[in-house]
Amino acid sequence: MLSDLRGSGCQRDKAGNRDLHFDQYVTLVLLYLLNPLIDSMRSLQEAGLIEKVAQQLGIKRFSLGSFSESVRVFEPQKLRAVIDQLAGELRPLQSDLRLKDHLHHVLTLVDGTLLNSLSTIAASWFSNYGDVPKHAWRLHTHLDWQTLVPSAVKLTDARNSGQSDEKYVLRTQLQKDHCYVMDRGFGQFALFNDIHRIGSSYVCRVKENSAF
């Protein structure tokens, strides 16, 4: 599945001596994320020296320098094809048939989730509550209700203001013929009007003191 990534980032490798390729890099990152025993690049490098691990995953020894350089060499957009392939293999989950019978729009669940755990990989700094430093990202996600697979994802800083505000990000991603299901963080009449204007609908929890 990752084999099509092999040639990515090799354009400037005229000598043909690149040892760490994009498919191997993705495999190593997955190994790091899914294995609690690996907590640094050096321990990841040591894991790659284990013969059985290297053989099963198709990796070999890499230098810390080439691994760090990889984030500037490889094109993350090429992973979309892999994600699309995985998503295409999923089958709808069991759901309430009444929704299918009465809903004429694509039901899309919208959420903006704060990801503190990503600070172990890369930190986005922001200040909150008395200038106490925080490290996190905000993942703005549209989920297809039948598979619970993201149909749209956008990563911003965690401030939830300006261009990282949940309502602002949703407004830039609105599509026709969708029914957006949201929590009360999206409660804004101007946003509701924009959704209606584009030819879509919405379900949103609002505060009890909202003035209709």
Side-chain angles (χ1 to χ4, degrees), residues 86-97:
L86 286 170
E89 297 174 1
L90 296 174
R91 296 294 176 263
L93 303 172
Q94 289 185 345
S95 56
D96 195 321
L97 293 178

Side-chain angles (χ1 to χ4, degrees), residues 91 108 114 132 195:
R91 296 294 176 263
T108 305
L114 203 62
V132 176
I195 294 174

Side-chain angles (χ1 to χ4, degrees), residues 88-160:
E89 297 174 1
L90 296 174
R91 296 294 176 263
L93 303 172
Q94 289 185 345
S95 56
D96 195 321
L97 293 178
R98 291 174 297 179
L99 287 173
K100 185 176 181 180
D101 293 338
H102 297 286
L103 195 65
H104 304 292
H105 287 167
V106 178
L107 193 60
T108 305
L109 316 179
V110 181
D111 188 34
T113 303
L114 203 62
L115 298 176
N116 291 304
S117 59
L118 271 185
S119 61
T120 62
I121 305 172
S124 173
W125 179 87
F126 77 108
S127 179
N128 196 12
Y129 299 117
D131 292 331
V132 176
K134 301 284 186 180
H135 300 276
W137 298 85
R138 186 171 297 276
L139 187 65
H140 305 265
T141 310
H142 293 189
L143 292 168
D144 177 85
W145 76 283
Q146 288 188 309
T147 60
L148 295 184
V149 171
S151 57
V153 174
K154 184 176 179 62
L155 194 67
T156 68
D157 64 57
R159 292 182 176 88
N160 200 21

